[in-house]
Each structure stands twice: as C-alpha cells, then as structure tokens.
Amino acid sequence: LPWERAKSFDGAAVFSHFVNFDGDISKLGIELYINGELKQKGDYSLMINKPDEIINEARTFLSFEDGDILMSGTPSGVGKFLIGDEFVGKILLDNKIIVECNFKVI
C-alpha cells in the first residue's frame, strides 16, 4: 500500500513533549505552520472518525500498552517540504495554545 511506504520509515514521525490532559477533547484543535505559513488547521469537529471510535475499532484487533501511540490522519494541506524548512506545530484548547513545538527538516 502506498501509505505504508510513504509514512513508515525511520524518522517519519516527530513528537512534541507529552502533557497530561483531562479536559473535553471536543474542544481541541491543531495548527501546523511551515516557514511561518499556516498549512494545516483542524479540530475535533472535522474528524470523520472521532478518537473514541478509532480506539474502540483498534481494540478489536490489537492491544495497547503503556507508551503506545495511536496515530490518526491530519487535516489536508501539508504537501511538499524541503530540507531546511521549519515547522511549528500547535495543539489548541478553545483556540488557546496548550502545546507548541518547533521542528526543522534536516
């Protein structure tokens, strides 16, 4: 499948620090900037399959252990990027930043 090769290679995913969250996940959103330009923006309301549905479906064929990460899709918009490009990812709660992390393509 093309997604397997396109997204499953060493260094394919980067993560910010993790924070505890016990709030209302329906109030969460994300933004991704590349070189200062907003490329992706989305929130819970745009998800076709909500997190609880994704987790429940995944539990039908796999188990989870502490430290596991279950990744879903992202909003459209990233496209091509180049070595040297700078990314800023933000997690928002009610449009207020709760996590922000910078990455540079090397």
Side-chain angles (χ1 to χ4, degrees):
L1 297 172
W3 294 114
E4 185 71 20
R5 284 194 165 241
K7 295 188 176 200
S8 297
F9 55 89
D10 290 347
V14 294
F15 297 94
S16 70
H17 61 283
F18 289 84
V19 298
N20 290 326
F21 180 78
D22 61 1
D24 181 355
I25 63 171
S26 71
K27 296 181 179 193
L28 290 173
I30 65 170
E31 293 180 350
L32 178 68
Y33 296 80
I34 302 177
N35 300 322
E37 182 181 342
L38 181 62
K39 293 288 189 173
Q40 288 185 300
K41 183 176 176 74
D43 61 38
Y44 178 92
S45 71
L46 297 173
M47 295 182 75
I48 296 168
N49 298 298
K50 305 300 188 212
D52 287 342
E53 297 167 12
I54 295 169
I55 292 168
N56 289 336
E57 174 62 23
R59 283 186 175 146
T60 68
F61 61 92
L62 58 84
S63 58
F64 292 104
E65 296 184 20
D66 288 347
D68 285 350
I69 298 171
L70 179 61
M71 296 172 21
S72 68
T74 63
S76 63
V78 170
K80 186 178 180 180
F81 56 88
L82 304 169
I83 292 173
D85 283 350
E86 296 184 13
F87 286 64
V88 176
K90 299 177 183 183
I91 305 295
L92 308 160
L93 175 63
D94 282 332
N95 293 312
K96 295 178 184 167
I97 299 169
I98 59 171
V99 175
E100 181 174 337
C101 196
N102 301 328
F103 303 94
K104 187 170 187 173
V105 179
I106 56 172

